[in-house]
Amino acid sequence: MESFTPLTAALGGALIGLAAAVLWLGNGRIAGISGIFGQLLPPAQTVVWRVVFLVALIAATFAAAQLFPALGVGGETPARLVEAPAAWGVPTPVWLAIAGLLTGLGTKIGNGCTSGHGVCGLARLSLRSLVAVLVFFGVAVITVTVTGVV
């Protein structure tokens, strides 16, 4: 892992934790992106805060990418989307669409995503979240091993 940057990793983790704590303390909600996004369609009674949260999430990511193009990458090359393994013969847009659908399916089956279980659930000492995170990491290791994409 040649691009390991502990300072930016710690700063990013602290910001994620702060955002989760602010949402929990200010709104009584868990910062699980799949749950926040999943309640937009069909619209839940509380749509406004969900839209504000998601727009802020995307805007902050875009702003960070523009202000610090090499942040977390370990060099001067800006971050970019991963490409599909050439040996598999699947175009990258199709690869990304399949990955997104499988991620959505997994969050539905697991009743949450990495942010909900890994950040908020573990912080609340939830056994269900611990099991979910262990499964997430196990599947990630298997996926990287099989595809060779890091």
Side-chain angles (χ1 to χ4, degrees), residues 31-118:
I33 306 306
S34 64
I36 293 170
F37 184 75
Q39 294 296 316
L40 289 177
L41 296 173
Q45 294 175 343
T46 56
V47 172
V48 174
W49 77 265
R50 295 172 194 280
V51 171
V52 169
F53 186 90
L54 292 171
V55 167
L57 180 72
I58 293 167
T61 304
F62 179 77
Q66 297 304 310
L67 293 172
F68 310 104
L71 183 65
V73 179
E76 295 301 319
T77 306
R80 57 184 172 77
L81 290 175
V82 68
E83 294 181 17
W88 288 42
V90 179
T92 297
V94 173
W95 177 265
L96 293 174
I98 292 169
L101 290 172
L102 288 173
T103 301
L105 178 64
T107 60
K108 188 68 174 170
I109 292 170
N111 200 21
C113 59
T114 53
S115 55
H117 285 299

Side-chain angles (χ1 to χ4, degrees), residues 5 9 18 36 38 40-41 69 95 98 102 122 126 131 146 148-150:
T5 54
L18 178 64
I36 293 170
L40 289 177
L41 296 173
W95 177 265
I98 292 169
L102 288 173
L122 290 180
S126 167
V131 171
V146 169
V149 178
V150 178

